[in-house]
Each structure stands twice: as C-alpha cells, then as structure tokens.
Amino acid sequence: GPESLFMMASRDGAQHVVECDLCQQPVSFFCRRCGVNLCDPCALIHLRMKSKNGHDIVDYTSKDDDDTCHCDSHPQNVCSAYCKTCEAPICMLCVTIKHKSHEISELSDKIEELLKVFATENDRLQSSKHELERILDNTTKLLSSMPSVYQLQKDEVTARGKEWHTQIEKIVKKLHQELDDMQKEHETVLQKQQKKFKDMIGKVDEMNGKTMKLQKSKNVTEMQSFVPVIQKQERLSEVSQYSFPKLYEYKIDEYLENKLKENGLSGRIISEIPTVTFVIDTRFPADENNNGLYDMAVTDDNKVWMGGESRELKLFDLQGHLHHTVSITFLGMYLCVYNKQVVYSDTSNKAMRMISDTDTVVTMFTTGDWKPYGVTSAASGDLLVCLRKDDQYKVVRYSSTGTVLQEIQYDSQCQPLYKKTNYIAENINGDIIVTDFKKKAVIAVDRLGIFRYSYSDVTGSTVTTDSVGHVVVTDYLRDKIHMLDRDGRFLRYITPEGGIDRPRGVCILGDGEMMVGECKTGIAKRIKYLKE
C-alpha cells in the first residue's frame, strides 16, 4: 500500500517505517521551514502552530525537490530577484530596504547563467568520462593480458636457458673429447714405456743368469766374448715425465665468460662491419715520417677540432665544412674541449693553452719542469694532463687556474705506473685511462689513482670513452681500433669497410658514431659503430 513508500532501508539492511516526529504514526508530510516529519492528523495541528518563518508543508516523497528559494532575511518570502553586488538571491522586500542602491537583476537571469555553467561543466565531465572509460577499458585489458605477457617472458627465459644448456653441453662434449684424446695420447706413451721397462728387466735377468753360469765356468773365450755384450746393455734411460691435466674446468668458465661478453654487447654493438658515414680531408702537411693528422676533440655543438703537423687548429663540422683555422704556439698533438673552449698542450714551452672566443691563444697555466702531453677534461670540471720530465711520467689533475689537485705516478708497491705516457681519457665510472707508448699498453687507475687494469698489445695509440663506458683505443702501427669494456677486457675491433690507415686521433660523436683520424693520409673518418 501507500505505506511502502515510506519503507526505508536502515543501516543494518532491515526495513523500517519512517515515523511522524510528533506521534509514531507513519509519515505523510514534511514541513520544509521547521524540518519535521508529519502524519495526516499532525500536519493540521502543525499548521495552526505559530512560527515567525511560517510553514511550508509538502508531500514527504517530494521533500527534497525544493524548487523554491526562500529569502534569508525574510524566510516567509520567496526570492524573486538577485543582488549582483552581494551575490545573493533576495525577496522584493529586500530590494526596497537592504539592497536599495545595489545592482539587482532578475532571479531567472541568474538561474539561466548558472544553468549554462552547469551545462558547460557537465559536458566537460561527460567528455572526460569517455577518456576515463577508455583508460579503464585499457587498464582492464592490460590486467587480463598480464598472465600471458609474463608467461611469454618466462617462456623466453626458459628458451634462452635451454640455449645455454645446449651451448654448455656442446662445450662439455668438446672438452671431454679433448680430454679423451689427451688420455689416449698419454696412455700410448706410458704403454710404450711399460713395455720398454719390462723388456729391460727381462734383459737384466738374462744377463744375471749368464753371469752366474760364467762365474762357475773356466771358459775364457766365452767370458771374453760376453764382456762387450754385458757392457753394451743400456742402463736406465729417460723416463717420460707425466703430469695429469690440471684445472681443466676453468676452460668452461672462460668459454662462458666470452659468450656472456658477446651477449652483453649484442644489444648495443653492430655485429656487421661498421660503416664510414663521412670522410673529411683535413689537409694537414706531413712530417718526414709521413705523419700529418694527430689529435681531435669534439665540441658541445658537434663540431670537431683537429690538430696536426702545422701550428694551427682547424674546426670542422660533421659534414666536412671548415669553419675556423686558428694559429697556435705548438703542433696540434694533444687537444681537448674544456668549458666549451679548445685546449692544447704546448709541450715545448711547458704550458697549457686555450683558444679564446676571439681566436687568441690564452695561457691557462704553466707546468713547471714537466712537459705536458695528453690532456682531457674531467667530469669534475678539472683538467687531467700527462706529464714527462726526463724519464719520469705522471698524470696530474689541475684546476682551471693550474692548482695541482692530484698526482698519479706510483702503484701500491711504490713502483712507477707509467713508462712513457701519451694520451689520456676519463671514463664514466671515473677511471683515468692513459696510453703508454713504451709499455705498448693502456693503463687505467680509478678516480683515486689506484691501479685498475692494464691492456697490452697496442702501439702508438690514442684513447677515448663513449657514453656507456666502452674504451676505444686506436692502434697506430697495426691499423686497428680496439674496443674494451669498462674493466679493460677486449670486446672487438672496430674495422670499417675499406679498413683504416694509421689511425691516431679519435673522439665519440654521439648517436653511435666516432671520428677517427688517419695520421698518414690526413683523412678523418666518421664511423657508425653502434646500433640505434
């Protein structure tokens, strides 16, 4: 019946009847002014009660559909105007009294204005709802695809694991075969030896028998003829020294390490031949040994300073246009870019010099009794310089004003680290890497100057590092470019198609490219060596 209208769900989920606030009968009406629930009889009684705000009795079911606006100052009055000055709805009484000089408008105009705002905002929310629904939909899809995505990853891991198992089984088989062959070989040798010594023991027994017989006889002729026979019998000859194979299992470790090294690179390094993307003829003159182009340094805006067998530095862009030529006080053998300026070592005058914005040579500082060679700018904002005095060699970290901040000369046994320092680079992990002309090696120390590693077998070389910590070393006498990992382990040679002729200067350009200078031809080659 009608009572069902007033059945409400209470918090505990049970149904209960909304009651009249005056008696406990089921509710029928509601007085908006007084905020009370009323039944039929009580509504009449309530209307007779005096109230300064009057009463506004409505059907209980429509108690929340309030479409009238009552005045705050005169609650018995309905608002029909809007005061713009006070930003409030008012009744006609207010218009004449309290808001007399204020700006007044029709309430309906204000309502229209507000409805427009609602409509605009609602549209905005509706359109954002589509976006939210799209995102929700996508999120739901992502959630449902999670298991399969992760399963796929697990399957790939399993497959990769199987590959490794196969590789390991192969190498185990190979090493077993090697050991079997070795065993056969050694067995043959020892079997021969075994037979030989058995024969020799037999001969010794035979001689012993004859000797015993002759000792009892008086036959001088037989005795005389036996003397050379017994003398001819060989004594113990060479016994082959045999040792069992030691530490054969390390071969598996070695194999796996090399495999891992290859795999670690496969993501970044091109497996096919690196390509030459551009060639620049620097046109430096050559000395009596045909050496022309020495060193190079890349600027922040991807131009390259080149130095060679003339007292000038040249600035090229990557398309080979010559932007600049600057006269200097020494050959352009050792360069770096420091604070956006090109810096070079003036070896003969024992000074570090910089080219200013006006193309004039500025002396940064002098290096005392020591001659400066290779130079590089450090991440800390300092300069690292290779120095030589007579037969002593060291690396010094200088501030921009020439204050000595660090000296690296000896190892932990107080032995000289270097025999003839040449070029220098700093790696992303802070390692200081120097090429040593006499040791024919690359020698790395950590940022504190403690020995890290040495990589030998490079002759007459320059060194640089790339953004992932690869060490790139040019090998002048053997026409090779070595690439090492950050721990000094050989990774591969960078050999572009057409090869490289007497590589010396090298710098990294970014985008997986390097610039390498051919000392003899004076040609600089842009080489793409990393995959995208």
Side-chain angles (χ1 to χ4, degrees):
E3 316 256 291
S4 66
L5 276 176
F6 312 121
M7 300 294 275
M8 296 279 220
S10 71
R11 247 178 225 139
D12 58 7
Q15 298 279 316
H16 79 284
V17 176
V18 178
E19 295 167 340
C20 169
D21 288 339
L22 305 184
C23 66
Q24 267 64 52
Q25 293 296 315
V27 71
S28 299
F29 300 104
F30 177 74
C31 177
R32 281 180 176 161
R33 298 291 166 83
C34 308
V36 286
N37 294 341
L38 303 163
C39 63
D40 281 349
C42 291
L44 292 167
I45 299 162
H46 182 72
L47 266 174
R48 291 195 201 108
M49 287 174 66
K50 278 233 158 57
S51 157
K52 70 174 171 81
N53 291 341
H55 298 289
D56 182 9
I57 288 181
V58 293
D59 205 49
Y60 181 81
T61 49
S62 61
K63 76 182 184 86
D64 294 325
D65 310 343
D66 191 0
D67 49 4
T68 50
C69 177
H70 289 275
C71 178
D72 280 348
S73 307
H74 313 97
Q76 69 281 12
N77 293 348
V78 173
C79 295
S80 55
Y82 182 77
C83 176
K84 288 185 174 175
T85 313
C86 303
E87 295 188 346
I90 52 173
C91 68
M92 290 320 287
L93 203 53
C94 293
V95 174
T96 54
I97 307 167
K98 211 170 159 191
H99 301 263
K100 209 172 187 174
S101 56
H102 295 181
E103 193 186 342
I104 309 288
S105 73
E106 290 269 346
L107 189 64
S108 57
D109 292 348
K110 182 63 188 175
I111 289 168
E112 206 174 304
E113 183 192 313
L114 290 170
L115 289 175
K116 268 187 190 150
V117 173
F118 291 160
T120 309
E121 292 306 307
N122 199 36
D123 286 351
R124 185 177 61 79
L125 290 174
Q126 281 303 318
S127 64
S128 78
K129 184 184 160 195
H130 294 315
E131 183 63 5
L132 290 170
E133 280 168 344
R134 192 184 61 74
I135 295 168
L136 171 65
D137 188 42
N138 195 32
T139 307
T140 310
K141 275 190 191 135
L142 280 176
L143 259 176
S144 63
S145 66
M146 278 280 148
S148 59
V149 167
Y150 278 88
Q151 191 52 51
L152 191 68
Q153 295 286 337
K154 280 160 97 174
D155 294 346
E156 281 175 6
V157 169
T158 307
R160 198 79 188 93
K162 276 188 184 145
E163 270 176 46
W164 276 109
H165 281 297
T166 312
Q167 300 259 22
I168 290 167
E169 273 162 24
K170 250 193 223 160
I171 191 84
V172 166
K173 215 173 179 179
K174 181 173 165 278
L175 294 178
H176 279 189
Q177 188 57 54
E178 270 179 38
L179 288 166
D180 285 346
D181 295 348
M182 215 185 274
Q183 182 184 343
K184 270 202 193 93
E185 207 176 293
H186 288 136
E187 274 174 355
T188 311
V189 171
L190 291 179
Q191 278 161 354
K192 261 191 191 164
Q193 185 169 297
Q194 185 187 39
K195 184 182 181 306
K196 185 179 178 184
F197 286 116
K198 267 186 186 164
D199 291 351
M200 283 173 78
I201 288 166
K203 271 277 164 54
V204 170
D205 289 344
E206 192 189 317
M207 293 296 148
N208 191 38
K210 274 208 170 152
T211 312
M212 302 286 277
K213 214 166 118 192
L214 288 170
Q215 276 171 353
K216 292 175 187 161
S217 100
K218 301 276 188 293
N219 188 337
V220 174
T221 315
E222 208 175 322
M223 278 178 160
Q224 275 178 327
S225 63
F226 184 61
V227 169
V229 175
I230 196 167
Q231 280 176 339
K232 204 175 81 195
Q233 268 319 303
E234 57 177 327
R235 295 272 304 283
L236 185 66
S237 69
E238 267 297 296
V239 180
S240 49
Q241 281 297 313
Y242 180 71
S243 61
F244 286 98
K246 267 197 193 75
L247 289 177
Y248 218 74
E249 84 279 4
Y250 88 93
K251 289 215 165 193
I252 259 214
D253 301 350
E254 201 180 64
Y255 169 82
L256 284 179
E257 260 178 35
N258 288 336
K259 264 281 168 241
L260 280 169
K261 222 180 280 175
E262 279 171 33
N263 286 4
L265 277 170
S266 59
R268 281 289 291 156
I269 292 220
I270 320 177
S271 44
E272 64 269 23
I273 296 167
T275 51
V276 174
T277 57
F278 205 85
V279 169
I280 300 170
D281 188 353
T282 62
R283 299 176 188 269
F284 279 105
D287 67 2
E288 65 277 7
N289 300 316
N290 284 328
N291 292 333
L293 175 57
Y294 294 133
D295 202 7
M296 49 179 64
V298 63
T299 64
D300 293 2
D301 57 356
N302 251 1
K303 293 188 181 73
V304 182
W305 281 103
M306 309 269 189
E309 186 58 37
S310 68
R311 293 185 175 232
E312 56 188 11
L313 297 179
K314 299 179 182 183
L315 180 67
F316 290 89
D317 65 23
L318 299 189
Q319 283 66 48
H321 303 120
L322 177 60
H323 280 251
H324 239 46
T325 304
V326 182
S327 297
I328 54 171
T329 54
F330 184 67
L331 301 177
M333 273 194 168
Y334 307 101
L335 317 178
C336 77
V337 168
Y338 176 72
N339 282 343
K340 303 195 176 183
Q341 309 287 19
V342 64
V343 168
Y344 69 95
S345 295
D346 185 336
T347 303
S348 56
N349 302 303
K350 300 175 188 160
M352 296 308 303
R353 314 225 194 243
M354 177 189 270
I355 307 300
S356 75
D357 286 336
T358 57
D359 290 352
T360 49
V361 175
V362 179
T363 302
M364 292 177 74
F365 51 86
T366 53
T367 52
D369 297 340
W370 295 73
K371 289 183 169 186
Y373 288 81
V375 58
T376 193
S377 60
S380 56
D382 311 317
L383 271 182
L384 293 164
V385 186
C386 292
L387 296 174
R388 300 183 194 171
K389 186 176 78 173
D390 307 324
D391 60 349
Q392 291 183 73
Y393 300 87
K394 65 181 177 183
V395 168
V396 172
R397 184 188 292 275
Y398 286 103
S399 74
S400 58
T401 53
T403 306
V404 173
L405 303 173
Q406 182 185 18
E407 291 202 351
I408 302 163
Q409 193 171 1
Y410 302 105
D411 64 16
S412 55
Q413 268 73 52
C414 296
Q415 295 302 306
L417 275 165
Y418 313 114
K419 274 191 178 164
K420 193 173 185 182
T421 53
N422 219 22
Y423 286 91
I424 187 165
E426 187 190 58
N427 210 343
I428 52 168
N429 58 356
D431 282 355
I432 299 162
I433 306 161
V434 167
T435 59
D436 191 308
F437 199 85
K438 239 187 196 141
K439 281 190 173 180
K440 294 186 175 158
V442 173
I443 297 156
V445 297
D446 66 17
R447 65 184 76 222
L448 301 172
I450 296 158
F451 177 79
R452 275 257 292 132
Y453 63 81
S454 173
Y455 171 81
S456 48
D457 211 24
V458 282
T459 46
S461 44
T462 317
V463 62
T464 191
T465 62
D466 70 10
S467 61
V468 288
H470 292 134
V471 180
V472 176
V473 192
T474 56
D475 193 336
Y476 170 69
L477 289 179
R478 293 188 315 174
D479 298 338
K480 280 191 161 84
I481 301 161
H482 304 242
M483 178 172 267
L484 319 178
D485 69 11
R486 67 172 75 188
D487 296 314
R489 288 187 292 250
F490 174 77
L491 295 175
R492 55 170 281 175
Y493 292 118
I494 306 288
T495 313
E497 82 276 32
I500 195 96
D501 189 7
R502 295 284 189 268
R504 185 157 166 171
V506 60
C507 60
I508 303 296
L509 306 174
D511 289 335
E513 284 194 314
M514 63 173 76
M515 183 79 81
V516 181
E518 296 185 337
C519 188
K520 225 175 179 174
T521 63
I523 281 173
K525 289 181 174 175
R526 248 173 85 185
I527 300 171
K528 178 89 172 158
Y529 72 102
L530 283 188
K531 275 187 181 166
E532 287 307 328

